[in-house]
Amino acid sequence: MSTPTVAFSELSKNSKRVAETLDQTHRVHVTRRDGEDLYLTTARHDQQREETADITARLLGALVRSDAGERAILRALPAVFPWVRHLSAEEAKEFVAELIDATNDAAHLDVLGSLHRLVTEWRATARILADPELTAKLTRRLPDEDHGEVTAP
């Protein structure tokens, strides 16, 4: 279902009409010229989203605790994150463990940024590993030179 969009000025001028739209769609995108866009949602819809995140986090956590579940997650990973094929088996397991932790943080602590950051960081790692020249440059042994103390910026 598409989320309807209204301008912030429309919300302030015709709040009753926007509220009626919200009752029908459960979510409205509010655009603003002078700030970040907003989403209005019903309390019930937000509670259902939280419950969905909680169930997903607990399900992933339970699956990874069994060998068969961990294998299933690792097999399914490339369908969700195609770039994971550039990670080693050990790196993929580490990614799954961190993914579960970040999913739990999103569900139970309302910390959504850590999940996005985790995926972004692992995707960047896979991008480096996909390029043999870049991998060689970034993993080569550094000279045994000591250039002194690094000062804080």
Side-chain angles (χ1 to χ4, degrees), residues 1 14 21 41 43 49 56 63 79 86 90 98 105 108-109 113 120 122 133 136 142 145 150:
M1 173 173 26
N14 298 304
T21 301
T41 187
R49 289 172 68 93
T56 303
L63 274 172
H86 296 288
E90 194 57 41
E98 291 179 16
D105 288 349
H108 302 129
L109 302 175
T120 300
W122 275 105
E133 275 186 45
L142 296 174
E145 301 169 8
V150 176

Side-chain angles (χ1 to χ4, degrees), residues 17 54 57 105 108 136 140 143:
R17 187 161 23 117
D54 177 53
D105 288 349
H108 302 129
R140 70 173 165 48

